[in-house]
Amino acid sequence: QLQLAESGGGSVQAGGSLSLSCVASGRTGSSYCMGWYRQAPGKEREGVAAIDYDGAANYADSVKGRFIISRDNAKNTLYLQMGSLKPEDSATYYCVARHGWCPVLSDYDPPGPDFAYRGQGTQVTVSS
């Protein structure tokens, strides 16, 4: 089993930046695909970004050029740097993981591909 714990959410004005972190614990020895999903009230879940163990990343079209996903395998930590934030980025952001290589998120309509593990989520609110 893998446990995921997010931190770093908060409130920011449109155009601002926020960073999220996710620490993995438990069976961290495997090469997991890790990523971020988000879900806003009344909307379907949306895959935001995903990154393979070797650092290869892919993004949803809605965040390309604004968000950067990264990971530090030695620290079992996943990051998401969010810039040029928009009110429509407001959502609960979840850290997720799955075995094997990452799916290409832009190939999927919401709710996106399934991930076996998910954290409790952290709230991001962007005001206009």
Side-chain angles (χ1 to χ4, degrees), residues 22-81:
C22 170
V23 177
S25 60
R27 289 193 149 184
T28 58
S30 298
S31 300
Y32 293 96
C33 162
M34 297 188 75
W36 295 94
Y37 266 67
R38 67 186 180 186
Q39 189 162 22
K43 293 189 176 181
E44 284 192 289
R45 182 189 74 189
E46 177 188 18
V48 173
I51 185 167
D52 284 311
Y53 191 81
D54 64 358
N58 72 86
Y59 300 87
D61 291 340
S62 59
V63 306
K64 278 180 184 174
R66 300 189 298 120
F67 290 11
I68 299 174
I69 188 172
S70 61
R71 63 191 289 172
D72 185 331
N73 293 326
K75 295 182 179 179
N76 297 316
T77 302
L78 177 72
Y79 304 98
L80 185 69
Q81 295 173 266

Side-chain angles (χ1 to χ4, degrees), residues 35-39 45-49 92-96 103 105 111-115 118:
W36 295 94
Y37 266 67
R38 67 186 180 186
Q39 189 162 22
R45 182 189 74 189
E46 177 188 18
V48 173
T92 300
Y93 282 70
Y94 297 92
C95 176
V96 294
L105 297 179
D114 289 332
F115 280 72
R118 195 192 80 170

Side-chain angles (χ1 to χ4, degrees), residues 113-125:
D114 289 332
F115 280 72
Y117 305 100
R118 195 192 80 170
Q120 291 299 310
T122 185
Q123 181 66 37
V124 171
T125 303

